[in-house]
Amino acid sequence: MPKAYAIAHVTLINSEKFIEQYGSKVEDTFKTFGGEFLVRGGNISYIEGEKLGDLDVVVEFPDRASALAWERSSEYQAILPGRTKNATTNFIIIDGVA
């Protein structure tokens, strides 16, 4: 069973509230589901295309079921307004290579 990845490109609207209400809490919500940050910000070299946001994030999960269970969990849903009210986001869950 392949690992799964939650990938987000975040454009901040209110960075202070985003960090307070979402960014400082999100890791605790996915650890229970085996999630681990692989990328959280950092320097980017744009080779092709345009910048997709202010912050890029990749979280690795043991499998798709774990990633989807996290996204649907009450713990994550409780903090989600902290992201949706303070940022616009392109967010996907994708399977890794088997």
Side-chain angles (χ1 to χ4, degrees):
M1 187 176 321
K3 293 185 179 192
Y5 300 87
I7 301 172
H9 304 287
V10 182
T11 302
L12 299 169
I13 297 168
N14 185 326
S15 61
E16 191 172 296
K17 285 187 178 182
F18 174 87
I19 292 166
E20 175 189 323
Q21 298 172 6
Y22 181 84
S24 65
K25 300 175 182 180
V26 70
E27 186 172 15
D28 289 337
T29 69
F30 62 67
K31 281 184 174 182
T32 309
F33 297 91
E36 178 182 355
F37 276 121
L38 295 184
V39 174
R40 188 177 195 183
N43 293 325
I44 298 174
S45 298
Y46 291 96
I47 307 304
E48 292 183 20
E50 296 182 20
K51 181 178 175 182
L52 296 175
D54 301 313
L55 177 65
D56 299 287
V57 178
V58 178
V59 178
E60 181 182 71
F61 288 90
D63 51 44
R64 172 176 284 278
S66 298
L68 293 172
W70 160 71
E71 195 278 328
R72 296 173 183 150
S73 72
S74 59
E75 296 84 3
Y76 181 67
Q77 292 299 311
I79 67 165
L80 185 56
R83 177 173 63 81
T84 59
K85 291 179 181 178
N86 298 300
T88 56
T89 306
N90 291 314
F91 175 72
I92 64 169
I93 293 176
I94 188 168
D95 291 339
V97 176

